[in-house]
Structure formats: C-alpha cells, structure tokens
Amino acid sequence: MMMPAMINQAFGSLQRVAPQGAAAGVAPVAAGVGAAGLAAAAPPAAPADPKELVRNVIRSANWTVDEQGDVWTVTVPISSLRRQKVEIALRAKDPAGHPLVNFRSTCGPATPENAMLLLQFNSQLVHGAFAVEKTSSGDMVRVVANQLADTMTLLDVNKVITAVAWQADQAEEKLLGTDEN
C-alpha cells in the first residue's frame, strides 16, 4: 500500500535532478525548428557513469549511504518506524561481459518452511526476485535485482532501489516480525 506513495515521492525528487526528458531517456530536440518543420535530434549521449547515477538518486532522496569501494549500502526509510538496507554492487558483469549493477536486500534466514512460499511470491514482485544467498550469517533470503549499467537511467535506479527495499522489508516483517535489516 505504501509503494505508490514512495514512488511518487521519489519521482518528485528526481524531477529536481533530471533534466526535462532525461528520466524517460528522450534525447532533447535541437532548438530552432526552421521552415522545413523538423529539427534534428541531438546525437545519443554516451552512457552515464553508473556510480554517478546511483549517487544522484541517493542524494536527491536524502538516503544515507556507506560507500565501501564498489559496494555501497543505502538505508531507505520505509515508514516512520521502519528502514531497509539495500546493498548496491557496481562491479558485476553479465555472461557476455556487460557491466551490471546489482541491488540486494536481506529479508531473513532461509528455511525449508519459507522456501516454497517465497518462490510463489516471485511472480508478484515488481522488480527483482527472492533468492537464497550464502552469507557469514548463514543462508539468507534476499530480494535481488540487476540492471545493465550502460542503459540504466535515474528513474530506473530509483524504481529498483525503492522496490527492492520495500519488498524486502515486507518479507522481513512477515518472516521475522522485526526490522533488523
């Protein structure tokens, strides 16, 4: 229920950061449409630096971040009483060698009892999926999502961070009944 409000809040903050049309990935039209009618569009810009895109989203949303090299941990407020940490890894590559940005947030320990239920909920997630990952604390349930670094936009980054945080917090609340992550 809170997701639409969080997205609206985030979109409002992105409008202050992104130039007109940039959030939708639209190239600006050259000024001075002549008598012929149409002006040529500007050539496509080089892909934005993924770190700067992520940093701009975090800054515009006033989230706190702990940058440790290429792995950042962002604390996203879910409500006045709940927060969720989202880990962002900026060094991954897909099998073809294209740079990826990984987003993940821990929900709680993996157990045989919750495995099937979480797999059934995967089809309902907006961005990402539930996964079980080995950590120093044991096998943990996480919401994970990936984006191609070369094609992501401010809006993409904001939507994924917000969705991963909210979905992981909802699962954590159901699995643990607390707010640990």
Side-chain angles (χ1 to χ4, degrees), residues 2-31:
M2 293 172 35
M3 187 67 158
M6 290 173 65
I7 291 174
N8 284 338
Q9 177 187 9
F11 288 162
S13 64
L14 281 180
Q15 290 173 350
R16 292 188 299 272
V17 173
Q20 187 68 18
V26 177
V29 175

mmCIF file of all heavy atoms in Angstrom, residues 2-31:
data_model
loop_
_atom_site.group_PDB
_atom_site.id
_atom_site.type_symbol
_atom_site.label_atom_id
_atom_site.label_comp_id
_atom_site.label_asym_id
_atom_site.label_seq_id
_atom_site.Cartn_x
_atom_site.Cartn_y
_atom_site.Cartn_z
ATOM 1 N N MET A 2 2.043 1.185 0.598
ATOM 2 C CA MET A 2 2.900 2.360 0.687
ATOM 3 C C MET A 2 3.717 2.565 -0.579
ATOM 4 O O MET A 2 4.245 3.645 -0.800
ATOM 5 C CB MET A 2 3.841 2.229 1.880
ATOM 6 C CG MET A 2 3.126 2.278 3.203
ATOM 7 S SD MET A 2 4.166 1.901 4.619
ATOM 8 C CE MET A 2 5.725 2.560 4.200
ATOM 9 N N MET A 3 3.831 1.550 -1.423
ATOM 10 C CA MET A 3 4.694 1.623 -2.594
ATOM 11 C C MET A 3 4.338 2.784 -3.519
ATOM 12 O O MET A 3 5.231 3.519 -3.931
ATOM 13 C CB MET A 3 4.657 0.286 -3.337
ATOM 14 C CG MET A 3 5.642 0.212 -4.447
ATOM 15 S SD MET A 3 7.297 0.210 -3.771
ATOM 16 C CE MET A 3 8.158 -0.502 -5.097
ATOM 17 N N PRO A 4 3.051 3.019 -3.875
ATOM 18 C CA PRO A 4 2.754 4.145 -4.769
ATOM 19 C C PRO A 4 3.186 5.490 -4.182
ATOM 20 O O PRO A 4 3.729 6.327 -4.892
ATOM 21 C CB PRO A 4 1.231 4.079 -4.938
ATOM 22 C CG PRO A 4 0.895 2.651 -4.683
ATOM 23 C CD PRO A 4 1.868 2.193 -3.627
ATOM 24 N N ALA A 5 2.983 5.682 -2.885
ATOM 25 C CA ALA A 5 3.386 6.947 -2.270
ATOM 26 C C ALA A 5 4.902 7.105 -2.300
ATOM 27 O O ALA A 5 5.417 8.197 -2.556
ATOM 28 C CB ALA A 5 2.869 7.027 -0.838
ATOM 29 N N MET A 6 5.632 6.011 -2.037
ATOM 30 C CA MET A 6 7.092 6.075 -2.061
ATOM 31 C C MET A 6 7.593 6.399 -3.460
ATOM 32 O O MET A 6 8.514 7.197 -3.640
ATOM 33 C CB MET A 6 7.691 4.749 -1.587
ATOM 34 C CG MET A 6 7.501 4.498 -0.114
ATOM 35 S SD MET A 6 8.046 2.852 0.367
ATOM 36 C CE MET A 6 9.787 2.966 0.037
ATOM 37 N N ILE A 7 6.979 5.782 -4.466
ATOM 38 C CA ILE A 7 7.390 6.034 -5.847
ATOM 39 C C ILE A 7 7.074 7.477 -6.237
ATOM 40 O O ILE A 7 7.898 8.154 -6.844
ATOM 41 C CB ILE A 7 6.751 5.020 -6.815
ATOM 42 C CG1 ILE A 7 7.358 3.640 -6.570
ATOM 43 C CG2 ILE A 7 6.920 5.446 -8.257
ATOM 44 C CD1 ILE A 7 6.728 2.526 -7.352
ATOM 45 N N ASN A 8 5.873 7.963 -5.861
ATOM 46 C CA ASN A 8 5.532 9.357 -6.163
ATOM 47 C C ASN A 8 6.502 10.316 -5.503
ATOM 48 O O ASN A 8 6.935 11.294 -6.104
ATOM 49 C CB ASN A 8 4.101 9.672 -5.722
ATOM 50 C CG ASN A 8 3.075 9.092 -6.664
ATOM 51 O OD1 ASN A 8 3.383 8.817 -7.813
ATOM 52 N ND2 ASN A 8 1.867 8.899 -6.181
ATOM 53 N N GLN A 9 6.861 10.048 -4.249
ATOM 54 C CA GLN A 9 7.820 10.901 -3.551
ATOM 55 C C GLN A 9 9.166 10.871 -4.276
ATOM 56 O O GLN A 9 9.798 11.896 -4.476
ATOM 57 C CB GLN A 9 7.990 10.448 -2.113
ATOM 58 C CG GLN A 9 9.024 11.255 -1.362
ATOM 59 C CD GLN A 9 9.306 10.680 0.017
ATOM 60 O OE1 GLN A 9 8.852 9.606 0.353
ATOM 61 N NE2 GLN A 9 10.064 11.421 0.800
ATOM 62 N N ALA A 10 9.582 9.676 -4.663
ATOM 63 C CA ALA A 10 10.870 9.544 -5.339
ATOM 64 C C ALA A 10 10.855 10.230 -6.701
ATOM 65 O O ALA A 10 11.822 10.883 -7.077
ATOM 66 C CB ALA A 10 11.217 8.066 -5.487
ATOM 67 N N PHE A 11 9.738 10.098 -7.452
ATOM 68 C CA PHE A 11 9.666 10.744 -8.752
ATOM 69 C C PHE A 11 9.755 12.254 -8.608
ATOM 70 O O PHE A 11 10.390 12.922 -9.395
ATOM 71 C CB PHE A 11 8.379 10.382 -9.478
ATOM 72 C CG PHE A 11 8.330 8.985 -9.985
ATOM 73 C CD1 PHE A 11 7.131 8.398 -10.324
ATOM 74 C CD2 PHE A 11 9.476 8.223 -10.110
ATOM 75 C CE1 PHE A 11 7.075 7.102 -10.786
ATOM 76 C CE2 PHE A 11 9.426 6.927 -10.577
ATOM 77 C CZ PHE A 11 8.214 6.378 -10.913
ATOM 78 N N GLY A 12 9.115 12.795 -7.586
ATOM 79 C CA GLY A 12 9.162 14.231 -7.352
ATOM 80 C C GLY A 12 10.580 14.696 -7.123
ATOM 81 O O GLY A 12 11.002 15.729 -7.634
ATOM 82 N N SER A 13 11.353 13.923 -6.360
ATOM 83 C CA SER A 13 12.732 14.317 -6.098
ATOM 84 C C SER A 13 13.599 14.161 -7.344
ATOM 85 O O SER A 13 14.537 14.916 -7.536
ATOM 86 C CB SER A 13 13.314 13.516 -4.927
ATOM 87 O OG SER A 13 13.378 12.152 -5.244
ATOM 88 N N LEU A 14 13.274 13.208 -8.202
ATOM 89 C CA LEU A 14 14.066 13.038 -9.423
ATOM 90 C C LEU A 14 13.824 14.156 -10.420
ATOM 91 O O LEU A 14 14.703 14.507 -11.183
ATOM 92 C CB LEU A 14 13.744 11.702 -10.090
ATOM 93 C CG LEU A 14 14.400 10.497 -9.466
ATOM 94 C CD1 LEU A 14 14.005 9.241 -10.230
ATOM 95 C CD2 LEU A 14 15.905 10.631 -9.464
ATOM 96 N N GLN A 15 12.622 14.729 -10.408
ATOM 97 C CA GLN A 15 12.349 15.812 -11.332
ATOM 98 C C GLN A 15 13.251 17.004 -11.063
ATOM 99 O O GLN A 15 13.566 17.766 -11.950
ATOM 100 C CB GLN A 15 10.880 16.215 -11.253
ATOM 101 C CG GLN A 15 9.970 15.150 -11.823
ATOM 102 C CD GLN A 15 8.503 15.454 -11.604
ATOM 103 O OE1 GLN A 15 8.143 16.368 -10.866
ATOM 104 N NE2 GLN A 15 7.652 14.679 -12.234
ATOM 105 N N ARG A 16 13.693 17.169 -9.791
ATOM 106 C CA ARG A 16 14.596 18.261 -9.473
ATOM 107 C C ARG A 16 16.012 17.967 -9.973
ATOM 108 O O ARG A 16 16.792 18.863 -10.190
ATOM 109 C CB ARG A 16 14.625 18.500 -7.966
ATOM 110 C CG ARG A 16 13.320 19.050 -7.436
ATOM 111 C CD ARG A 16 13.471 19.444 -5.985
ATOM 112 N NE ARG A 16 13.830 18.351 -5.118
ATOM 113 C CZ ARG A 16 12.985 17.531 -4.510
ATOM 114 N NH1 ARG A 16 11.691 17.677 -4.700
ATOM 115 N NH2 ARG A 16 13.414 16.569 -3.718
ATOM 116 N N VAL A 17 16.352 16.661 -10.152
ATOM 117 C CA VAL A 17 17.708 16.279 -10.538
ATOM 118 C C VAL A 17 17.825 16.092 -12.046
ATOM 119 O O VAL A 17 18.773 16.525 -12.666
ATOM 120 C CB VAL A 17 18.124 14.969 -9.825
ATOM 121 C CG1 VAL A 17 19.453 14.484 -10.343
ATOM 122 C CG2 VAL A 17 18.172 15.197 -8.328
ATOM 123 N N ALA A 18 16.852 15.427 -12.659
ATOM 124 C CA ALA A 18 16.945 15.068 -14.065
ATOM 125 C C ALA A 18 16.496 16.215 -14.956
ATOM 126 O O ALA A 18 15.494 16.857 -14.685
ATOM 127 C CB ALA A 18 16.068 13.841 -14.339
ATOM 128 N N PRO A 19 17.213 16.462 -16.037
ATOM 129 C CA PRO A 19 16.758 17.463 -16.990
ATOM 130 C C PRO A 19 15.496 16.989 -17.692
ATOM 131 O O PRO A 19 15.224 15.796 -17.726
ATOM 132 C CB PRO A 19 17.927 17.602 -17.967
ATOM 133 C CG PRO A 19 18.760 16.397 -17.774
ATOM 134 C CD PRO A 19 18.489 15.883 -16.391
ATOM 135 N N GLN A 20 14.742 17.911 -18.236
ATOM 136 C CA GLN A 20 13.489 17.579 -18.905
ATOM 137 C C GLN A 20 13.724 16.509 -19.962
ATOM 138 O O GLN A 20 14.571 16.654 -20.819
ATOM 139 C CB GLN A 20 12.896 18.838 -19.560
ATOM 140 C CG GLN A 20 11.527 18.639 -20.138
ATOM 141 C CD GLN A 20 10.473 18.403 -19.068
ATOM 142 O OE1 GLN A 20 10.670 18.703 -17.908
ATOM 143 N NE2 GLN A 20 9.356 17.848 -19.450
ATOM 144 N N GLY A 21 12.984 15.408 -19.891
ATOM 145 C CA GLY A 21 13.100 14.327 -20.868
ATOM 146 C C GLY A 21 14.160 13.312 -20.532
ATOM 147 O O GLY A 21 14.158 12.231 -21.076
ATOM 148 N N ALA A 22 15.080 13.615 -19.629
ATOM 149 C CA ALA A 22 16.173 12.684 -19.344
ATOM 150 C C ALA A 22 15.690 11.440 -18.631
ATOM 151 O O ALA A 22 16.192 10.356 -18.863
ATOM 152 C CB ALA A 22 17.251 13.366 -18.511
ATOM 153 N N ALA A 23 14.701 11.592 -17.741
ATOM 154 C CA ALA A 23 14.224 10.433 -16.991
ATOM 155 C C ALA A 23 13.611 9.398 -17.911
ATOM 156 O O ALA A 23 13.677 8.207 -17.655
ATOM 157 C CB ALA A 23 13.206 10.866 -15.935
ATOM 158 N N ALA A 24 12.992 9.850 -18.985
ATOM 159 C CA ALA A 24 12.377 8.907 -19.912
ATOM 160 C C ALA A 24 13.351 8.446 -20.977
ATOM 161 O O ALA A 24 13.012 7.649 -21.828
ATOM 162 C CB ALA A 24 11.157 9.554 -20.574
ATOM 163 N N GLY A 25 14.582 8.957 -20.944
ATOM 164 C CA GLY A 25 15.584 8.553 -21.927
ATOM 165 C C GLY A 25 15.382 9.202 -23.277
ATOM 166 O O GLY A 25 15.822 8.710 -24.297
ATOM 167 N N VAL A 26 14.683 10.354 -23.317
ATOM 168 C CA VAL A 26 14.391 11.033 -24.568
ATOM 169 C C VAL A 26 15.500 12.033 -24.853
ATOM 170 O O VAL A 26 15.852 12.838 -24.001
ATOM 171 C CB VAL A 26 13.032 11.780 -24.470
ATOM 172 C CG1 VAL A 26 12.758 12.558 -25.737
ATOM 173 C CG2 VAL A 26 11.926 10.790 -24.184
ATOM 174 N N ALA A 27 16.039 11.992 -26.051
ATOM 175 C CA ALA A 27 17.066 12.958 -26.434
ATOM 176 C C ALA A 27 16.414 14.310 -26.648
ATOM 177 O O ALA A 27 15.340 14.403 -27.230
ATOM 178 C CB ALA A 27 17.760 12.499 -27.707
ATOM 179 N N PRO A 28 17.028 15.395 -26.177
ATOM 180 C CA PRO A 28 16.441 16.715 -26.388
ATOM 181 C C PRO A 28 16.459 17.075 -27.867
ATOM 182 O O PRO A 28 17.363 16.695 -28.596
ATOM 183 C CB PRO A 28 17.348 17.639 -25.576
ATOM 184 C CG PRO A 28 18.622 16.889 -25.386
ATOM 185 C CD PRO A 28 18.265 15.434 -25.440
ATOM 186 N N VAL A 29 15.462 17.820 -28.306
ATOM 187 C CA VAL A 29 15.368 18.244 -29.696
ATOM 188 C C VAL A 29 16.148 19.536 -29.843
ATOM 189 O O VAL A 29 16.087 20.416 -28.990
ATOM 190 C CB VAL A 29 13.887 18.437 -30.095
ATOM 191 C CG1 VAL A 29 13.781 18.987 -31.508
ATOM 192 C CG2 VAL A 29 13.140 17.129 -29.968
ATOM 193 N N ALA A 30 16.896 19.655 -30.929
ATOM 194 C CA ALA A 30 17.692 20.856 -31.176
ATOM 195 C C ALA A 30 16.788 22.066 -31.292
ATOM 196 O O ALA A 30 15.699 21.996 -31.848
ATOM 197 C CB ALA A 30 18.505 20.678 -32.454
ATOM 198 N N ALA A 31 17.238 23.167 -30.760
ATOM 199 C CA ALA A 31 16.457 24.402 -30.800
ATOM 200 C C ALA A 31 16.417 24.939 -32.234
ATOM 201 O O ALA A 31 17.290 24.669 -33.043
ATOM 202 C CB ALA A 31 17.077 25.431 -29.863
#
